[in-house]
Amino acid sequence: DRARVYTSQGEMDKLQCPSCESTWNCVEQLEAISANSAPGGVLKDMSLAPACPHCGNTTILPNLRGGDWFNHKPYEPTQQRLLEWLDDSVERKLKVAVVEVGVGGNTPVVTHIPAMAWASAVAAAGGHATYIRINPDLGAANNGRGSNRDGRALQTTTEGLTRFDWAAGWRALGPVAGAVVELRNKAASRATEAGEPGLSRREGELGADGEIAGDATAKAHYQQRYTSILYSLRTPR
């Protein structure tokens, strides 16, 4: 369901007009251009040259984050739903997991930093987060942190947060994804039988009010961090 996927960097199947700020799907347009181009990429039918379908402007750009011209508006509704879900997960002290694949050190503010802040917020609230980072070049992108010498993921555990750094390619996700699906199916089955939501709260120490104990100051800090970063993506620089 594409409505549930937030693409913070834009999408390659869209073009945007810097004049009227409209965006549109360009797959059919680009296929027609490819079919009517000579070897070397020369367009034989100039009537197919990209133009804005709304205002006719011929100076158009890809709808991809590449400068202050990027139009983020098409992605704001999905981003807002994501933020609401992230906050809800923190408040409900859920058991959550983040799987980060192929994120390097060039633009960590787009994914790694806000994702890690959210995982930290869940942990600080009294939930539990598992953060799995997979990248064949992980050592260079992660201040020297990579897999153990035997190829297994390097595990770091703190209160409420378990982190795995795995220097491997995306194919390593095969058995991981299979295990996750199996666990989710089992959890969903148990929840259905019990008449409860599929995601569970962390089992931990209870405070005086019967709630799972957490660090409210740290929770607020990390929530503010991921929220401010995600909102900043609406105004490309």
Side-chain angles (χ1 to χ4, degrees), residues 4 41 137 190 208:
R4 299 183 65 186
D137 300 320
R190 289 196 300 269

Side-chain angles (χ1 to χ4, degrees), residues 206-211 213:
L206 298 181
D209 58 356
E211 285 294 304

Side-chain angles (χ1 to χ4, degrees), residues 16-24 51-57 59-60 71 73:
Q16 68 177 63
C17 176
S19 179
C20 68
E21 297 187 346
S22 62
T23 61
W24 63 95
C52 176
H54 302 281
C55 71
N57 180 29
T59 305
I60 60 173
N71 185 354
K73 290 181 180 178

Side-chain angles (χ1 to χ4, degrees), residues 3 20-21 23 26 53 62 69 71 74 76 83 89 104 114 128 136 141 144 163 168 175 199 215 220 233 235:
C20 68
E21 297 187 346
T23 61
C26 63
W69 43 264
N71 185 354
E76 289 182 9
L83 277 164
S89 300
H128 188 277
R163 174 170 170 171
L199 290 173
D215 185 333
L233 298 179
T235 310

Side-chain angles (χ1 to χ4, degrees), residues 14-154:
K14 289 185 176 64
L15 292 175
Q16 68 177 63
C17 176
S19 179
C20 68
E21 297 187 346
S22 62
T23 61
W24 63 95
N25 186 289
C26 63
V27 172
E28 292 184 3
Q29 195 173 17
L30 295 181
E31 288 177 344
I33 289 173
S34 177
N36 287 274
S37 294
V42 178
L43 183 60
K44 295 182 290 185
D45 183 356
M46 292 307 296
S47 67
L48 297 174
C52 176
H54 302 281
C55 71
N57 180 29
T58 56
T59 305
I60 60 173
L61 298 165
N63 188 217
L64 297 170
R65 189 181 300 275
D68 59 5
W69 43 264
F70 171 59
N71 185 354
H72 181 272
K73 290 181 180 178
Y75 313 103
E76 289 182 9
T78 306
Q79 185 202 54
Q80 188 59 43
R81 291 196 298 273
L82 170 63
L83 277 164
E84 292 170 0
W85 182 83
L86 296 177
D87 286 341
D88 181 64
S89 300
V90 172
E91 296 303 325
R92 293 171 59 197
K93 305 177 177 64
L94 296 181
K95 293 179 180 179
V96 302
V98 177
V99 180
E100 176 194 298
V101 183
V103 177
N106 290 334
T107 54
V109 72
V110 176
T111 49
H112 176 67
I113 294 177
M116 195 66 200
W118 173 64
S120 299
V122 170
H128 188 277
T130 300
Y131 200 106
I132 303 172
R133 195 175 193 199
I134 300 174
N135 191 327
D137 300 320
L138 194 57
N142 203 29
N143 297 322
R145 290 175 58 89
S147 299
N148 292 316
R149 291 183 178 179
D150 58 5
R152 293 181 302 167
L154 182 65

